[in-house]
């Protein structure tokens, strides 16, 4: 599988992304399955519709993060340009195009939802997600937030394991397909969402990577052109 994600908005660079997809899936090249290629987006509606027309067999992943317009505008600034109803219409068009090419057992569109403690993790948020996604062939990927620079800027916090499981179970009980992400690497800032925002100082030279040896005193230093008068003098 190949996923275009984490390097900016792929659909704002549609031409280059399409060339990359063609190179990865063309006969005589990598020959990967187009069904195994996923393009992630925050919801650039015109480009989503173009993707549906030109590459309907490529998988789409939508970074949703909120099921109502007001909260989504706070979390995803691009949502101000494309309201939720327009976004869901574009999503439905892509789902319909895929259903015509593949049977109903094929993998549905992925919805990404970063879970923020006290922001979008309430029962009401879960119920809004259920109402929005019910009867759509999607898989909800719940990703508990990993603190990074945005924690300092906006005060976001990671939800507890119990709160994350409760949120996911409420949606599962409503009949939706849900995956609750189990994170690894947050203790070394290597979990999802952390890698690009943490910089660890690196030594400029290999000699700076190890402690320097204690400086020798002038009495113990012997130059090449001098011979010690005795072993004791060395």
């Amino acid at each position: 599988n190949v996923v275009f994600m984490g390097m900016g908005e792929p659909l704002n660079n549609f031409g280059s992304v399409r060339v990359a997809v063609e190179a990865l899936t063309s006969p005589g090249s990598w020959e990967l399955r187009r069904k195994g290629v996923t393009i992630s987006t925050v919801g650039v509606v015109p480009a989503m519709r173009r993707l549906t027309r030109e590459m309907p067999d490529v998988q789409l992943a939508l970074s949703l993060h909120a099921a109502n317009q007001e909260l989504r505008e706070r979390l995803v600034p691009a949502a101000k340009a494309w309201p939720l109803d327009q976004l869901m219409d574009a999503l439905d068009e892509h789902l319909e195009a895929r259903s015509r090419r593949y049977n109903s057992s094929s993998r549905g569109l992925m919805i990404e939802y970063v879970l923020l403690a006290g922001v979008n993790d309430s029962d009401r948020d879960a119920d809004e997600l259920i109402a929005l996604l019910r009867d759509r062939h999607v898989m909800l990927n719940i990703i508990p937030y990993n603190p990074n620079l945005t924690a300092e800027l906006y005060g976001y916090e990671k939800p507890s394991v119990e709160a994350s499981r409760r949120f996911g179970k409420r949606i599962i009980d409503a009949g939706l397909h849900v995956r609750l992400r189990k994170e690894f690497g947050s203790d070394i800032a290597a979990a999802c969402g952390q890698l690009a925002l943490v910089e660890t100082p690196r030594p400029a030279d290999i000699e700076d990577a190890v402690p320097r040896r204690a400086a020798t005193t002038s009495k113990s230093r012997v130059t090449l052109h001098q011979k010690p008068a005795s072993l004791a003098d060395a």
Side-chain angles (χ1 to χ4, degrees):
N1 296 324
V2 175
V3 181
F4 289 83
M5 176 187 289
M7 72 288 279
E9 171 56 55
L11 293 186
N12 280 342
N13 194 22
F14 191 96
S16 296
V17 169
R18 178 171 181 173
V19 169
V21 171
E22 294 290 347
L24 290 167
T25 60
S26 295
S29 182
W30 293 92
E31 298 188 43
L32 301 179
R33 300 173 309 131
R34 284 208 172 199
K35 287 176 63 176
V37 176
T38 299
I39 297 176
S40 177
T41 180
V42 296
V44 183
V45 169
M48 288 174 64
R49 290 196 163 109
R50 182 181 175 188
L51 177 72
T52 299
R53 291 192 307 270
E54 300 181 16
M55 295 188 288
D57 42 0
V58 169
Q59 181 80 307
L60 192 64
L62 173 64
S63 295
L64 185 64
H65 309 316
N68 68 74
Q69 181 64 21
E70 181 180 359
L71 179 56
R72 192 162 193 272
E73 285 186 12
R74 281 176 49 200
L75 300 178
V76 185
K80 297 175 182 177
W82 297 289
L84 196 57
D85 58 342
Q86 296 181 22
L87 178 60
M88 301 311 290
D89 285 345
L91 181 146
D92 288 340
E93 290 172 15
H94 191 78
L95 286 171
E96 176 63 23
R98 284 184 62 83
S99 70
R100 290 196 298 266
R101 298 177 71 89
Y102 306 113
N103 60 44
S104 59
S105 64
S106 65
R107 187 164 53 115
L109 186 148
M110 182 178 292
I111 303 293
E112 307 282 356
Y113 193 94
V114 173
L115 203 61
L116 301 162
V119 177
N120 64 353
D121 65 340
S122 69
D123 288 348
R124 177 180 176 180
D125 293 314
D127 291 342
E128 288 181 343
L129 263 178
I130 292 167
L132 184 67
L133 301 180
R134 181 181 279 132
D135 300 326
R136 288 185 165 101
H137 187 42
V138 299
M139 194 276 286
L140 179 64
N141 189 24
I142 300 174
I143 309 169
Y145 171 71
N146 293 301
N148 52 43
L149 181 62
T150 55
E152 301 176 15
L153 294 175
Y154 305 107
Y156 293 149
E157 296 181 357
K158 183 182 183 72
S160 67
V161 173
E162 294 75 16
S164 300
R165 289 177 176 171
R166 184 173 60 251
F167 186 87
K169 184 177 184 303
R170 189 177 184 91
I171 300 173
I172 291 171
D173 289 345
L176 273 69
H177 184 195
V178 175
R179 177 191 295 163
L180 178 60
R181 180 85 64 86
K182 184 176 181 181
E183 299 296 334
F184 296 95
S186 59
D187 56 326
I188 58 171
C192 180
Q194 293 182 317
L195 291 174
L197 297 174
V198 176
E199 182 177 352
T200 302
R202 293 183 295 177
D205 190 277
I206 188 62
E207 293 179 354
D208 297 327
V210 295
R212 291 183 179 276
R213 296 178 60 185
T216 56
T217 63
S218 57
K219 290 183 179 180
S220 63
R221 186 181 300 117
V222 179
T223 59
L224 293 177
H225 62 275
Q226 291 179 324
K227 294 182 179 181
S230 67
L231 191 59
D233 294 332

